[in-house]
Structure formats: structure tokens, C-alpha cells
Amino acid sequence: MACGERLVLDGAVFQQPVTVEIAARQVSCARTRWASTATLHLRHAELDLRDAVFEYPVLVAARPTPFPLPGSADSLPETELSGRDPGVRLASLGGADTAHLALHDIDLSGCRFAGAVHLDQLKVDGWCTFATTPTGWGRRLPWWWSRRNTLTEEHHWRVRAARDPGRATALGWAPPPADAPALKPAAVAALYRQLRKSLEDGKNEPDAADFYYGECEMRRHDPRRPRGERVLLTAYWALSGYGLRATRALAWLGAATAVTITVMVLWGLPADDPKPTTTGRQVAVGQEVVLTTATPDPVNPTGPLTGRVTAERFEKALRVVINSVVFRSSGQDLTTTGTYTEMTSRLAEPVLLGLAVLAVRSRVKR
């Protein structure tokens, strides 16, 4: 069937297997009961599945081409829908048990999942899209929001939690409608966790990683979480975006490397490489000679800082830092400052390198 405006199937009961083909602006299936298997092929539509009951597997899919007329070579006329995007948008799954529901090529950027159960068993196949974070240059940081898939519930929470909701909306966060419930961060984190499990079961690891990011964000902003956990999550976010932002981890690694090299060149390397010296005392003829060989302590460099910056000292400092990244000792004689700097870099820099590798792995994992 084709409908120029809104098709209402609220409360309908489908007791037999059925294939429904609908082209309409809006399709409402609130409280619809599907007592058998069914397939919904839709075009141009915004679908509402609030409180729907799925007793058997039900597939909702977007149809890219017009529906054929039975017994004819012609297509179902869509005159009143001409010029509209043929894609399908899901508006809400609130109150529905999605264990038997499968979505294929559906726009989920505005879908409200709050209130749905068994979201971890929801099947999301094909080209299903979610909302994304705002893009553009921020005022506080060069790039404030890293691009990722999000749920519309996070958009609503961001606007409600912002000091200036109008500014949050101007940045690109979607404002909540009047009937949208005010969810706490813990509730949004639970939605992310269930949908992440659904995507992981469908072998969609990259998009599941975005939902893990969203889950950690909600946990980080949850005031009911212990302060220590939130501090740890904040550090994890700042250093590597929860192990999902390789660029961030590599930037910190580059900064740590630059600082370590600078400290080594200016204060960590001794003025001259200590050379072993042999000392002894003269004895009478025929007696054994006792000699003691020792290496003197490194001498701290002196003079102006600019005079310490040389190609030779830079090469030595670079060798120390590269060895530190891979948990190796350079074997270079260092001052006290240099020794502690090397110990710190051997702990911090391999961790940053590991976070960068972990982030790359999350994006290419099958």
C-alpha cells in the first residue's frame, strides 16, 4: 500500500505469517502484536514501534526500489511521496521486547531505545546508521568532539546536563522532545552496553567500539560512581580515548618523548663520559702490585643551556629514549636526573605505545 501521509496500525494483531509493503511518510505500529513471523518492507517512512509485541522473528527493512504491483509489470505509484528520501527512519522502540526483532538498512539516528528490553539480542544488519557527535572546531580544544556513533539518548542528556542548553544545541547536540524521559548517565550507559553486545554478536567490532566509548563516557559522568573510578576513567579518556583513539595516544607519546629528550640533553647526560681509572701504590721490588680500577661518578653538565644542545648529546638522548619505549636500558652513563628520567620514561612511554596499538586494533578487528 502507498499513503501520502500517515498509516496507523496501532493495536493491530497479525496472527499469520505476513509480508507488509508500505510506502508512506509515517507508519505507526504502537502496541502492534506480531503473533507470527513477519517482514516489513518500507519506503520513505518514519516507523514507530513503541510497546510492540514480537512473539516471533520480525524483520524491518528499507526497500530501495518501488514495490511492484501484483500481476503487473508496473510499480506501486508513489506520486505523493515523489522527491522524498526512500530511506526508513525508526522513531522509537520504547517498551518493546526486541529479542525477535531484526533491522536492515534502517536510520537509527533519531531512534529512542529507552524502555526497550533485550536490546543485546536486537539484530542490526546491513547499513544501519546511528546519530553522531557534533563536528567542527571547538573553543576550548582544537578538536573538541571526536567523531563517533552515539545514541539519541546521549544527545538528550548532553543538552539537559549542559550549563547552557542553547549553546549545546547550537554545537550540534539534538535537544530532547517534550515527552522524552530524563535519563541518568547510568541508564544511558546500560543502553550502550546492551547495544554494544548486539553489534559484537553481529561481528561489527568498529561500531561496537564506538558504543564502548559512549558507555565509558556515561560512567565517567555518573556522579554515583566512586570518585576514584571516575578519576581513572578521566585519565584513560585523556590519554587514549578509552583505548580507542590512536592519534591521542601517539600525541602523548610524542610529547613524552620530546620532554624526555629535552631533559636528557640539558641535564641527564654527563658533561663527559666517565672513563675508568686505575690507581695503586708503589711497592718494593719483588712484592705484588695492587691496582684498583674504578669508574668515577658522572659529572653534571655546567655552563649555559644553549651550549649543552649539540648533535652528539641529542643522538645519545634519542638512543636512551628509544630504548626506554621498548623496556630496554640504553647502557648510557647518566646523571642522577637522567637516571630517574629514564626510569620514568621506561614506565610511561611503553604504556602509551601499547594504548596506541590497542586503539588501532579496535578499529581493524574483524
Side-chain angles (χ1 to χ4, degrees), residues 65-83:
T65 58
F67 301 115
L69 286 173
S72 173
D74 298 330
S75 299
L76 184 70
E78 301 177 355
T79 306
E80 297 181 353
L81 300 170
S82 61

Side-chain angles (χ1 to χ4, degrees), residues 29-325:
C29 292
R31 301 179 307 282
T32 303
R33 179 185 170 195
W34 306 88
S36 184
T37 57
T39 300
L40 277 73
H41 285 159
L42 306 176
R43 285 174 53 79
H44 309 285
E46 179 178 300
L47 176 64
D48 187 355
L49 289 174
R50 284 177 297 173
D51 301 313
V53 178
F54 305 101
E55 299 181 15
Y56 286 85
V58 174
L59 170 65
V60 179
R63 178 70 175 263
T65 58
F67 301 115
L69 286 173
S72 173
D74 298 330
S75 299
L76 184 70
E78 301 177 355
T79 306
E80 297 181 353
L81 300 170
S82 61
R84 288 178 56 86
D85 181 7
V88 178
R89 300 161 301 284
L90 185 57
S92 177
L93 280 174
D97 185 340
T98 62
H100 295 296
L101 180 62
L103 305 176
H104 187 81
D105 292 349
I106 304 298
D107 182 358
L108 302 174
S109 59
C111 181
R112 290 154 60 179
F113 293 93
V117 297
H118 291 150
L119 286 172
D120 57 326
Q121 300 179 41
L122 173 67
K123 295 177 178 59
V124 181
D125 299 322
W127 188 72
C128 290
T129 58
F130 293 89
T132 59
T133 52
T135 57
W137 296 97
R139 297 182 180 180
R140 298 183 182 181
L141 294 175
W143 190 265
W144 184 240
W145 300 108
S146 56
R147 187 175 181 85
R148 60 181 171 88
N149 289 331
T150 63
L151 298 181
T152 190
E153 281 83 0
E154 181 180 350
H155 279 252
H156 300 167
W157 177 85
R158 294 278 183 185
V159 173
R160 286 192 173 106
R163 294 182 180 179
D164 185 357
R167 182 174 181 272
T169 302
L171 287 175
W173 295 106
D179 60 340
L183 300 180
K184 295 182 179 180
V188 182
L191 295 177
Y192 272 122
R193 184 163 50 252
Q194 294 183 68
L195 286 169
R196 173 172 62 87
K197 176 64 165 51
S198 171
L199 294 177
E200 288 174 345
D201 290 344
K203 306 302 180 182
N204 187 355
E205 295 290 347
D207 288 340
D210 281 349
F211 281 12
Y212 173 72
Y213 192 110
E215 178 188 349
C216 289
E217 275 287 275
M218 294 298 99
R219 288 169 54 195
R220 183 168 69 92
H221 290 288
D222 186 359
R224 296 184 299 176
R225 292 277 178 178
R227 182 180 297 273
E229 179 182 345
R230 285 185 287 146
V231 170
L232 183 61
L233 284 171
T234 300
Y236 195 22
W237 163 77
L239 291 177
S240 64
Y242 308 112
L244 297 172
R245 297 295 181 262
T247 303
R248 194 177 305 178
L250 290 175
W252 280 109
L253 177 60
T257 300
V259 171
T260 305
I261 291 177
T262 302
V263 173
M264 286 293 181
V265 170
L266 297 180
W267 300 285
L269 296 175
D272 297 300
D273 291 334
K275 298 180 180 179
T277 58
T278 302
T279 59
R281 59 187 180 84
Q282 186 177 4
V283 296
V285 177
Q287 294 182 348
E288 294 182 356
V289 177
V290 178
L291 301 176
T292 302
T293 302
T295 302
D297 293 334
V299 179
N300 292 328
T302 58
L305 297 180
T306 54
R308 307 177 194 178
V309 182
T310 63
E312 181 181 1
R313 291 176 64 84
F314 178 81
E315 188 274 333
K316 291 181 180 179
L318 183 61
R319 188 165 59 241
V320 170
V321 172
I322 292 177
N323 280 281
S324 297
V325 173

